[in-house]
Amino acid sequence: MELGASVMFIISPESMEDTVDLNAKGVDFLILMWASRQFALGVILAFATIKRSSPMLTLAYIFLLVMFAADLCIGVAQHDSSLYIGAGVMCLIASTMIYFVNQPSK
């Protein structure tokens, strides 16, 4: 998901951010920074998954949880229901993944 988001931010930023004036000075830089963050997180999650490293996966999902918790707060502050609902669901998913990654193997 993170890798797909990073590609979409570069190819078609208007499809990802419809409320942002993409012609404003400096916005293209912020979009590229956001795409880089998403790409890095996607690579980290993919690497940790391929290596089956519980500590790396735990750390990556904690990062996701913190990021989505911040998005949830921003959504509430901006009265953006789609942002806080989506971020709330993603917080739940990240929390669930942290729980299952740290379960002892049977």
Side-chain angles (χ1 to χ4, degrees), residues 5 10 13 19 30 46 48 68 74 92 94 97 101:
I10 292 172
T19 60
L30 292 174
F68 287 126
I74 292 167
L92 184 62
M97 294 303 290
V101 164

Side-chain angles (χ1 to χ4, degrees), residues 47-75:
F47 183 78
T49 301
I50 291 167
K51 287 291 192 175
R52 294 184 178 174
S53 172
S54 294
M56 285 178 67
L57 279 169
T58 300
L59 193 57
Y61 284 120
I62 288 171
F63 176 81
L64 273 177
L65 181 61
V66 170
M67 184 178 73
F68 287 126
D71 287 350
L72 182 104
C73 293
I74 292 167

